[in-house]
Amino acid sequence: MALNRTELIAKIADVAGITKTDADKAVAALQSVLVESLTRGEAVKITGLMSVERTERAARKGRNPRTGEEIEIPAGFGVKISAGSTLKKAVAK
């Protein structure tokens, strides 16, 4: 089971004792800051929870699975998310 955005906002509002509107603004702000920082190549680290960073992928050769034809896959970027110590301990229980 996954927690969707609406459920997440409702839980944040309940735990923090704020309105759902304010919780939605906080989640939107976090999303905006993450996207902007990663676009600039900056890592985002929330101690104990997680760290998020942009990674580079080199150009490489691959194969079209339908035809077996070799294709060039261009260089690009990905995102790496690592769990922090508090999160790792909570999940390990």
Side-chain angles (χ1 to χ4, degrees), residues 6-7 12 14 21-22 31 33 35-37 40 44 48 50 58-59 61 74 77-78 81 86 89:
T6 304
E7 294 166 339
I12 290 172
D14 185 47
T21 303
D22 288 341
Q31 179 179 342
V33 169
V35 170
E36 288 174 19
S37 296
R40 289 192 305 263
V44 177
M50 67 178 177
K61 294 183 186 219
F77 297 98
I81 302 173
T86 304
K89 288 177 187 174

Side-chain angles (χ1 to χ4, degrees), residues 5-85:
R5 183 183 174 102
T6 304
E7 294 166 339
L8 175 64
I9 288 168
K11 285 192 179 244
I12 290 172
D14 185 47
V15 171
I18 58 176
T19 66
K20 288 182 183 178
T21 303
D22 288 341
D24 185 39
K25 287 178 186 177
V27 170
L30 175 62
Q31 179 179 342
S32 176
V33 169
L34 278 171
V35 170
E36 288 174 19
S37 296
L38 293 173
T39 301
R40 289 192 305 263
E42 299 172 347
V44 177
K45 298 180 183 197
I46 304 172
T47 304
L49 182 62
M50 67 178 177
S51 66
V52 184
E53 60 185 295
R54 184 169 103 166
T55 59
E56 286 189 55
R57 280 193 233 136
R60 61 196 186 281
K61 294 183 186 219
R63 292 209 176 267
N64 181 330
R66 288 189 182 181
T67 64
E69 176 187 354
E70 192 172 88
I71 58 172
E72 281 291 321
I73 301 170
F77 297 98
V79 176
K80 178 183 172 187
I81 302 173
S82 302
S85 60

